[in-house]
């Protein structure tokens, strides 16, 4: 009935509370590198005996889907299981290493090499994927996360991602983009995006001001970002560029074919005026900003984004944080993210 983050770290506690989670402050005794998950959960139960069932969700499994957690909760609540854990089916032929003195031999595990099947004709084997472990309070008090009336829950392969070593990071990032859960509300909003609002200084540019010999400002932007804007416009998404400074409209307007507003003191009002003209709502807006003055717009837009080098207040208000800095491909990255999500939502609706 409640979501807790167990931590001994101040920054993690702050972020957890910002997203609505409760925080269990771990003691030094269960915050060591050698501490097991079971020990941390047992300490939690000691301080919160009102919890009857614990779902231990591993932070290293970023593609976990809430539907899976709901089904597992039902298995324990309605079917009487004492523990349920996540597995994934693998079609890999397993071999064991046998050491006898200096000699090393191998032994096939579970299959006869003389009757080796095609992998696609074989049911495969179940492996723990580490996504979650659900157990009753009574079982955990006995010192187990698995046991007594125990059952597995088989997750889909595309949702079964575990970050263990460095190479798992890029794989996980691509899986999250393609298969990650973004919420039903956000899916509906993504499908309706009709306008991208982009801040010029710090998003389209890197924030630096270049002056010519005659003291005229020169705006420099990344060709990748120009392509990103072009990709959005091809999907009938209009683009509005905004600057708080009194910079020139000419170069951005003529080269990127976008509406431009400069000398803006109230970004929220400017966007609302634009929405009235276009007969759109905030849910149909994708917004990319980088400063405290963007926070209201970032929170109000249907989907929002900040470059990697945005200020802290903007980062905590956005739904997506780019890996790229402002002026160095952040808009292209956000455009690709938007289009990928839109394609994903459309394909899911077709399947239905």
């Amino acid at each position: 009935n409640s979501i807790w983050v167990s931590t001994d770290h101040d920054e993690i506690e702050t972020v957890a509370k910002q997203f609505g989670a409760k925080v269990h402050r771990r003691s030094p005794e269960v915050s060591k590198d050698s501490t097991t998950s079971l020990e941390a959960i047992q300490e939690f139960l000691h301080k919160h005996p009102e919890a009857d069932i614990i779902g231990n969700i591993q932070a290293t499994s970023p593609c976990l889907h809430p539907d899976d957690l709901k089904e597992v909760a039902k298995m324990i609540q309605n079917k009487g299981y004492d523990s349920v854990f996540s597995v994934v089916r693998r079609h890999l032929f397993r071999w064991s290493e046998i050491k006898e003195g200096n000699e090393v031999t191998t032994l096939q595990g579970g299959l006869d090499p003389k009757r080796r099947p095609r992998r696609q004709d074989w049911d495969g084997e179940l492996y723990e994927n580490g996504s979650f472990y659900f157990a009753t309070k009574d079982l955990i008090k006995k010192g187990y996360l698995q046991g007594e009336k125990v059952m597995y829950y088989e997750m889909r392969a595309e949702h079964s991602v575990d970050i263990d070593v460095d190479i798992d990071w890029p794989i996980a990032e691509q899986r999250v983009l393609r298969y990650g859960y973004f919420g039903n509300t956000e899916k509906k909003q993504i499908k309706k995006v009709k306008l991208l609002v982009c801040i010029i200084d710090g998003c389209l540019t890197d924030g630096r001001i270049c002056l010519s010999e005659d003291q005229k400002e020169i705006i420099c932007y990344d060709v990748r970002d120009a392509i990103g804007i072009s990709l959005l416009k091809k999907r009938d998404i209009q683009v509005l560029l905004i600057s708080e400074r009194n910079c020139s409209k000419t170069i951005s307007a003529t080269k990127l074919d976008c509406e431009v507003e400069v000398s803006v003191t109230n970004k929220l009002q400017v966007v609302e005026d634009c929405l009235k003209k276009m007969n759109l709502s905030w849910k149909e807006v994708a917004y990319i900003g980088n400063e405290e003055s963007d926070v209201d717009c970032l929170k109000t837009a249907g989907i929002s984004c900040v470059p990697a080098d945005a200020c802290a207040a903007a980062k905590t208000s956005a739904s997506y944080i780019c890996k790229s800095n402002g002026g160095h491909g952040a808009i292209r990255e956000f455009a690709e993210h938007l289009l990928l999500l839109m394609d994903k939502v459309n394909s899911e609706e077709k399947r239905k």
Side-chain angles (χ1 to χ4, degrees), residues 63-81:
C63 275
L64 183 58
H65 198 284
D67 286 351
D68 291 335
L69 299 178
K70 292 174 183 177
E71 288 301 316
V72 173
K74 290 178 184 177
M75 291 172 70
I76 288 191
Q77 291 171 319
N78 303 331
K79 297 183 180 180
Y81 291 108

Side-chain angles (χ1 to χ4, degrees), residues 150-168:
V150 60
M151 187 59 182
Y152 67 83
Y153 180 88
E154 185 175 345
M155 287 177 56
R156 293 165 57 181
E158 58 266 33
H159 291 161
S160 183
V161 180
D162 188 41
I163 300 176
D164 254 346
V165 294
D166 287 348
I167 190 61
D168 294 332

Side-chain angles (χ1 to χ4, degrees), residues 194-199 238-243 261 264-289 293-294 296-298 300-303:
K194 300 294 183 183
L195 174 68
L196 170 70
V197 179
C198 173
I199 301 306
Q238 298 303 306
V239 179
L240 170 65
L241 302 176
I242 291 179
S243 176
E261 293 289 342
V264 173
T265 56
N266 187 332
K267 297 175 181 177
L268 193 68
Q269 187 60 55
V270 168
V271 177
E272 287 182 346
D273 291 343
C274 179
L275 293 179
K276 287 180 182 178
K277 292 179 184 178
M278 300 178 67
N279 195 26
L280 299 176
S281 69
W282 272 100
K283 291 181 179 180
E284 297 169 294
V285 175
Y287 190 98
I288 177 168
S293 57
D294 296 306
D296 288 339
C297 292
L298 289 167
T300 310
I303 183 170

Side-chain angles (χ1 to χ4, degrees), residues 193-213:
V193 169
K194 300 294 183 183
L195 174 68
L196 170 70
V197 179
C198 173
I199 301 306
I200 294 175
D201 310 300
C203 292
L204 179 64
T205 74
D206 61 7
R208 294 183 300 167
I209 299 175
C210 301
L211 297 175
S212 63
E213 290 184 0

Side-chain angles (χ1 to χ4, degrees), residues 87-215:
V87 301
V88 64
R89 191 174 297 273
R90 301 292 190 200
H91 292 80
L92 302 172
F93 295 140
R94 179 167 47 87
W95 291 79
S96 299
E97 184 180 67
I98 302 173
K99 295 182 179 180
E100 296 179 358
N102 294 326
E103 295 292 325
V104 178
T105 58
T106 56
L107 177 67
Q108 218 292 323
L111 290 173
D112 184 354
K114 297 177 181 179
R115 299 178 181 176
R116 182 186 176 95
R118 297 190 310 164
R119 287 198 294 178
Q120 59 266 42
D121 297 330
W122 177 48
D123 289 337
E125 294 181 327
L126 300 177
Y127 290 81
E128 286 188 31
N129 63 5
S131 286
F132 57 78
Y133 299 86
F134 275 61
T136 62
K137 174 173 62 178
D138 293 337
L139 184 64
I140 293 172
K141 282 184 175 181
K142 295 177 183 178
Y144 304 102
L145 276 175
Q146 297 162 293
E148 298 190 357
K149 189 177 180 181
V150 60
M151 187 59 182
Y152 67 83
Y153 180 88
E154 185 175 345
M155 287 177 56
R156 293 165 57 181
E158 58 266 33
H159 291 161
S160 183
V161 180
D162 188 41
I163 300 176
D164 254 346
V165 294
D166 287 348
I167 190 61
D168 294 332
W169 276 104
I171 296 172
E173 287 173 348
Q174 291 303 312
R175 288 281 188 92
V176 168
L177 282 174
R178 190 163 297 277
Y179 302 112
Y181 179 74
F182 299 96
N184 291 326
T185 301
E186 187 170 315
K187 283 182 181 180
K188 294 177 183 177
Q189 292 171 350
I190 288 166
K191 186 181 177 183
K192 294 180 179 179
V193 169
K194 300 294 183 183
L195 174 68
L196 170 70
V197 179
C198 173
I199 301 306
I200 294 175
D201 310 300
C203 292
L204 179 64
T205 74
D206 61 7
R208 294 183 300 167
I209 299 175
C210 301
L211 297 175
S212 63
E213 290 184 0
D214 57 357
Q215 299 302 299

